[in-house]
Amino acid sequence: MNLTPLLPEATSPTGSVETTDRRTLPSTIAQQLRDMITEGELPPGARLNERSLCDKLEVSRTPLREAFRLLAAEGLVNLQPNRGAQVVALSPQDIRESFEVLGGLEALSGELACEHITDEEIAEIRALTFEMQASHARRNMPAYFHVNRAIHDRINAAARNQLLSNVYQNINLRVQSLRFRSNLNAEKWDKAMSEHLEMVDALAARDGLRLGRLMRQHLRRKGEAVLEALALEAPAPAG
């Protein structure tokens, strides 16, 4: 992952001081941390070492701690008194339930999007799908996932339902790192890519029932892939 240093202050070539807006700095740091969590650099259960992260991101502890609070409000980080911050680790039941609900929300997004989406929005999502297909061909997972997330967000936005978007974003944030990991199996990644090609065709045809069914199946397979991967990683019981 490409990390750009986040400096509260920077000196210009002329010697003047350019101060970053202190209201936006914690949000910028929080986005960096979200990406690190999503891509597994900060895995579930990892403790967030303030000194190490301050050095890595080139920020002070005050905006970093504010970023922790933003992530805690989203359910991505636990703040523990006298123990600092820790990346949330979902239980298998949490994961199963999250993907079940998310699949229903994605299906509803697809159905409503087919009623409201414009030709221009369909063209944009098709272009993004081709871009994602190119990343898949290069086996560039971070680039693939970035575009994948944009596609799902655009379909959700095309549903024109703000309450749906708010609930979707809240739950989706919890499982971003798991959605990323669901593509670590090459066969399942290939299947996910083929499903996206079917999804954009259904969207272009404005076939809401088909798109809703495809998106629900897509999320169910994602959840299954995550749970299978976790089962393989679990330590064997002591004999």
Side-chain angles (χ1 to χ4, degrees):
M1 150 178 193
N2 182 23
L3 286 173
T4 302
L6 303 171
L7 297 174
E9 296 184 343
T11 303
S12 70
T14 61
S16 63
V17 174
E18 300 171 349
T19 304
T20 302
D21 189 335
R22 294 183 183 277
R23 294 169 299 177
T24 62
L25 182 58
S27 297
T28 304
I29 298 170
Q31 185 56 56
Q32 293 274 31
L33 294 174
R34 282 190 205 97
D35 291 340
M36 294 167 74
I37 291 170
T38 295
E39 296 177 17
E41 188 172 349
L42 295 173
R47 295 204 173 278
L48 302 181
N49 184 292
E50 290 187 6
R51 178 176 296 179
S52 174
L53 287 171
C54 284
D55 290 344
K56 189 177 189 69
L57 301 177
E58 298 187 22
V59 295
S60 64
R61 292 196 176 192
T62 298
L64 181 67
R65 288 174 177 173
E66 181 58 33
F68 288 171
R69 285 191 282 271
L70 293 175
L71 296 179
E74 296 170 0
L76 296 180
V77 165
N78 281 328
L79 296 179
Q80 302 169 319
N82 303 318
R83 299 185 64 187
Q86 183 178 24
V87 179
V88 167
L90 298 178
S91 70
Q93 182 175 345
D94 291 333
I95 293 168
R96 185 177 299 105
E97 291 177 353
S98 294
F99 275 95
E100 285 175 351
V101 172
L102 198 56
L105 296 173
E106 293 257 23
L108 181 57
S109 294
E111 292 169 3
L112 292 176
C114 286
E115 297 179 15
H116 302 294
I117 198 166
T118 66
D119 291 341
E120 291 76 13
E121 288 171 322
I122 291 174
E124 182 181 59
I125 290 172
R126 189 177 290 280
L128 287 170
T129 301
F130 290 149
E131 183 181 344
M132 185 172 68
Q133 193 174 22
S135 296
H136 172 263
R138 294 193 300 270
R139 315 310 279 183
N140 185 336
M141 191 178 296
Y144 172 96
F145 187 78
H146 176 77
V147 181
N148 177 283
R149 184 164 52 187
I151 290 170
H152 283 273
D153 285 347
R154 279 165 171 74
I155 293 174
N156 179 265
R160 308 289 194 265
N161 186 307
Q162 190 58 53
L163 178 59
L164 173 61
S165 293
N166 291 343
V167 176
Y168 167 78
Q169 294 294 343
N170 181 266
I171 296 177
N172 196 38
L173 276 172
R174 299 178 68 204
V175 297
Q176 280 298 301
S177 63
L178 299 174
R179 293 184 75 155
F180 183 89
R181 291 178 62 195
S182 70
N183 293 322
L184 294 177
N185 179 296
E187 182 179 349
K188 295 183 188 300
W189 188 10
D190 293 344
K191 178 63 176 174
M193 184 65 244
S194 68
E195 288 171 350
H196 264 277
L197 295 174
E198 293 182 60
M199 285 158 53
V200 74
D201 286 343
L203 183 64
R206 290 180 167 80
D207 188 339
L209 290 177
R210 181 184 171 209
L211 181 57
R213 184 179 68 254
L214 287 169
M215 296 188 79
R216 189 185 296 273
Q217 292 173 348
H218 185 69
L219 267 292
R220 187 185 70 242
R221 291 194 179 98
K222 289 282 184 187
E224 290 171 351
V226 169
L227 291 170
E228 288 174 11
L230 289 177
L232 290 174
E233 294 171 5

